[in-house]
Amino acid sequence: MFLNAHTHHLSDQTDVLELYNQFPNELNNEAKLFSIGIHPAYIKTSSIKEEIEIINQTISNKNCLAIGEIGLDKLCETDFELQINVFKKQLEIAMQYQLPVIIHSVRAYQEILQIRKQMKLTIPFIFHGFNKNEQLLNQIIAQNCFASFGKNLLSNKNLQIIFANLSANQFFLENDASEISIEEIYTFAADLRKITIEELQLQQAENWKAVFGYEVQS
């Protein structure tokens, strides 16, 4: 099974299982498994209360495996203090329900890690679309968090070196909003790590069980 830890596309393939990204105001009932959250770029002051309520109502669904994608983005137009406020509100929900969090970060990794420390959070963070350096990745791992790799793995040489040397239990794979298939990402990732696709699939299944509490049926 090809496990996709973060995507904005629904696949109809029987050998693909994805964690579909849901927005509170655009719920798709066709998603088998999903995360839900308010993306920092789409925060609207007028609807925050309503969307937080939708998250609270939806999160009890057994198919909801995570909160996200949520986080901080210094390049979007949303006021940064407002982003922090909405981010913290959603982290409180994640902590209450003991769910992992899919993290969106644009030039805000240190702020997110600092908030994690300040709030004394123990729930896993999965920094999706990771495309940074080894030093930052080590900081993430040191806080018992994870990185998820997608399309950038196919073209970034430094990222490929970092990824090839990661422990098997420290990462996830995704295709996010790209048109690149999750199968292509798995094929490339397995080659980088010099293992078979089947071995990589088994490793990812273990990570899904450990972090999302979801056991993949063989």
Side-chain angles (χ1 to χ4, degrees):
M1 187 70 72
F2 293 96
L3 300 174
N4 189 346
H6 178 70
T7 188
H8 294 263
H9 303 296
L10 283 176
S11 169
D12 57 4
Q13 295 174 245
T14 57
D15 62 344
V16 174
L17 189 63
E18 62 236 330
L19 195 59
Y20 178 71
N21 184 86
Q22 296 268 36
F23 298 108
N25 57 352
E26 296 178 5
L27 293 178
N28 186 332
N29 294 323
E30 294 182 11
K32 181 177 179 182
L33 301 173
F34 62 89
S35 63
I36 186 169
I38 306 171
H39 188 289
Y42 305 138
I43 295 171
K44 293 181 180 177
T45 308
S46 59
S47 61
I48 292 170
K49 186 176 179 181
E50 177 188 351
E51 292 187 37
I52 290 292
E53 183 57 34
I54 292 171
I55 292 172
N56 273 311
Q57 292 172 358
T58 308
I59 209 167
S60 58
N61 186 319
K62 63 180 176 59
N63 295 328
C64 180
L65 302 187
I67 293 287
E69 63 181 290
I70 66 173
L72 303 175
D73 188 326
K74 288 185 177 178
L75 293 185
C76 77
E77 294 181 358
T78 310
D79 176 78
F80 198 65
E81 287 303 314
L82 178 60
Q83 289 186 45
I84 291 172
N85 181 264
V86 174
F87 182 46
K88 287 182 175 180
K89 284 180 184 294
Q90 295 179 95
L91 290 176
E92 287 169 0
I93 297 172
M95 192 62 183
Q96 179 184 347
Y97 287 89
Q98 287 295 291
L99 285 176
V101 182
I102 309 293
I103 296 289
H104 170 95
S105 177
V106 175
R107 299 185 182 179
Y109 283 88
Q110 296 307 324
E111 288 88 344
I112 289 172
L113 291 173
Q114 187 59 35
I115 287 170
R116 178 179 173 84
K117 284 183 179 179
Q118 289 171 348
M119 295 181 69
K120 297 181 169 61
L121 298 177
T122 56
I123 49 177
F125 281 10
I126 300 103
F127 286 84
H128 101 84
F130 187 81
N131 192 30
K132 300 299 178 183
N133 57 50
E134 187 173 12
Q135 181 181 4
L136 178 56
L137 183 57
N138 287 337
Q139 284 183 266
I140 288 170
I141 292 169
Q143 287 206 33
N144 297 316
C145 297
F146 304 84
S148 185
F149 296 83
K151 66 175 183 178
N152 291 313
L153 192 60
L154 278 62
S155 57
N156 185 322
K157 298 296 184 184
N158 289 330
L159 197 66
Q160 291 167 8
I161 294 169
I162 293 168
F163 176 79
N165 294 306
L166 261 182
S167 294
N169 64 351
Q170 293 173 338
F171 69 88
F172 292 89
L173 295 171
E174 62 171 73
N175 71 350
D176 193 15
S178 78
E179 297 300 324
I180 299 170
S181 71
I182 194 66
E183 295 95 329
E184 184 177 345
I185 291 170
Y186 266 74
T187 301
F188 194 87
D191 185 58
L192 282 176
R193 296 178 66 80
K194 299 185 179 355
I195 59 175
T196 66
I197 292 174
E198 291 74 20
E199 287 172 317
L200 182 56
Q201 288 174 321
L202 288 172
Q203 291 172 357
Q204 284 296 289
E206 286 298 314
N207 292 354
W208 272 56
K209 182 179 179 181
V211 175
F212 296 120
Y214 186 87
E215 188 157 8
V216 180
Q217 302 300 316
S218 56

